[in-house]
Amino acid sequence: MVRIGDKIGNYQMIRSLGSAAMGAVYEGVHERIGSRVAIKILHANYQQNEDIRRRFFQEACSANHRLAGPS
């Protein structure tokens, strides 16, 4: 379970942005450079399901590609 103020990697969770069936989204801020990001966390009850983890990762890759724009 993630709480406001927790750190994940170099990011500190500063507020909840929302929750859905499979996960929750938080606003995080990089501790050294101050950049703000949205971080989606898969709910614990789905973390052991390989198919769901794979789809979750594919969604993250797809979102990252869309944000990066055409190369």
Side-chain angles (χ1 to χ4, degrees):
M1 173 178 233
V2 175
R3 292 188 170 98
I4 303 308
D6 284 354
K7 285 183 60 180
I8 297 177
N10 291 320
Y11 293 90
Q12 182 172 18
M13 303 303 102
I14 59 173
R15 70 180 174 126
S16 173
L17 297 176
S19 184
M22 290 179 47
V25 180
Y26 296 87
E27 180 179 0
V29 63
H30 192 282
E31 65 184 347
R32 296 188 69 194
I33 62 176
S35 64
R36 294 178 181 269
V37 296
I39 298 174
K40 187 173 183 180
I41 307 293
L42 188 62
H43 290 314
N45 56 319
Y46 294 112
Q47 291 175 3
Q48 299 304 315
N49 184 311
E50 181 62 34
D51 184 53
I52 290 176
R53 286 195 340 247
R54 180 183 51 75
R55 291 187 325 196
F56 189 80
F57 184 76
Q58 287 175 331
E59 177 187 315
C61 289
S62 177
N64 187 51
H65 180 72
R66 283 193 307 268
L67 293 174
S71 28

